[in-house]
Amino acid sequence: MSFLSKYLRGWQFRTTHPTLQPGSEVNVFLTEYDPGEEMGVAFVGDTRLHVKNARPEHVEKRVRVAVEEFDAEESVGHGEFVEVVGESSYVG
């Protein structure tokens, strides 16, 4: 095995369209709140996750979401807010 092969072993490229597994919980940064739908929105790369039971005050916070459904072709999922797990890293 060459030095380069040893060095690159295990490397892989990350996708901009990650998949989410229904039944799993993920921590995401809530970026938007849709008052018409009364739910939050998070992006994981180009994947969009709609979060029900999120409140406007959860925007710009890291939250845990229970994934309920996911469409891999459209890169869109739906889940339910579980809890706030972190604050924004933005310094005002």
Side-chain angles (χ1 to χ4, degrees):
M1 179 179 283
S2 73
F3 174 75
L4 182 60
S5 296
K6 289 180 185 179
Y7 182 75
L8 296 177
R9 184 176 18 182
W11 279 30
Q12 61 185 24
F13 291 102
R14 292 183 355 181
T15 178
T16 60
H17 297 280
T19 58
L20 302 172
Q21 298 299 318
S24 66
E25 289 188 352
V26 294
N27 294 339
V28 295
F29 190 74
L30 202 65
T31 57
E32 299 175 8
Y33 182 79
D34 183 344
E37 296 291 323
E38 295 185 353
M39 65 177 56
V41 180
F43 292 91
V44 183
D46 292 331
T47 294
R48 186 179 184 101
L49 181 61
H50 299 273
V51 184
K52 66 182 178 184
N53 296 327
R55 309 282 304 140
E57 60 268 18
H58 297 141
V59 172
E60 296 187 3
K61 293 194 175 19
R62 191 162 182 78
V63 299
R64 180 167 294 130
V65 177
V67 179
E68 296 175 337
E69 58 185 64
F70 185 74
D71 181 342
E73 277 190 31
E74 297 294 322
S75 292
V76 174
H78 291 83
E80 185 166 357
F81 171 82
V82 176
E83 66 182 334
V84 174
V85 295
E87 296 295 320
S88 170
S89 60
Y90 297 118
V91 177

